Amino acid sequence: MGGPEPEGLRFFGTTWVGHDRGYAVRRAGVSAGALPATVAACLLLRFAYEGLRSAAVGFFVHALVVVVFAVCGAIAFQSTWDGFRRRPADPVREEALRGVRTVGFIGSLLAYFLRSLTEAPGEGLRRREYATALTRHERRRGHRVAATGRPDAERHGRV
């Protein structure tokens, strides 16, 4: 048995395991792509806000739009940042937040940019899970060797 396989990350595949096959270049590329995407998204929102201003919709609508995008952006940032550190405890809640994260996409882009400055986004979580899986596999493998007295018993189906 070969043991557990590492889970791939978006834009990185499994290069995060050994930081090989262009990992540093990919990380720089993600950073270099996420920041301009965040700036472009801010400009897009500014353009939409100017459209509201030219439509003369009133102070209440202006304030509401600003508050909605600020709150959704903060929630999206926090949700994305937490997703880099741990798996969601409640998938139903995560699905319910999908719309909020869509509206607050600038927060998600910003979280992606900031995390890519230190590691591949989600690398720490995947590394911990992979290390745990390897440890569990080695323990099971060691248990089989101890039970049979033969390290090759697993290979020959004598477990």
Side-chain angles (χ1 to χ4, degrees):
M1 296 254 124
E5 293 292 322
E7 185 178 346
L9 292 172
R10 182 180 296 147
F11 305 123
F12 294 92
T14 57
T15 61
W16 60 267
V17 176
H19 291 190
D20 56 354
R21 297 188 331 258
Y23 171 83
V25 173
R26 290 175 194 222
R27 228 180 77 207
V30 166
S31 291
L35 186 59
T38 304
V39 171
C42 289
L43 291 174
L44 179 69
L45 285 181
R46 174 74 180 168
F47 180 70
Y49 185 78
E50 289 299 320
L52 287 174
R53 180 178 289 174
S54 67
V57 293
F59 174 77
F60 179 73
V61 173
H62 284 282
L64 188 62
V65 167
V66 169
V67 168
V68 164
F69 276 104
V71 168
C72 289
I75 291 171
F77 179 88
Q78 187 63 45
S79 174
T80 303
W81 193 263
D82 286 346
F84 297 146
R85 295 183 302 158
R86 59 182 151 73
R87 298 279 181 177
D90 185 6
V92 175
R93 180 179 180 270
E94 288 299 310
E95 184 63 31
L97 283 176
R98 179 182 283 186
V100 172
R101 282 197 310 261
T102 301
V103 172
F105 64 102
I106 292 175
S108 292
L109 288 170
L110 187 60
Y112 213 81
F113 167 72
L114 291 174
R115 182 56 84 167
S116 68
L117 293 175
T118 58
E119 67 178 9
E123 178 182 347
L125 169 66
R126 299 304 194 292
R127 192 169 296 284
R128 283 191 309 275
E129 290 175 346
Y130 184 55
T132 301
L134 283 174
T135 302
R136 226 180 282 139
H137 175 73
E138 288 301 318
R139 247 187 275 141
R140 279 194 309 260
R141 192 166 173 263
H143 176 71
R144 288 180 184 143
V145 170
T148 62
R150 294 186 50 197
D152 66 336
E154 180 181 332
R155 250 182 297 163
H156 298 291
R158 296 184 182 125
V159 183

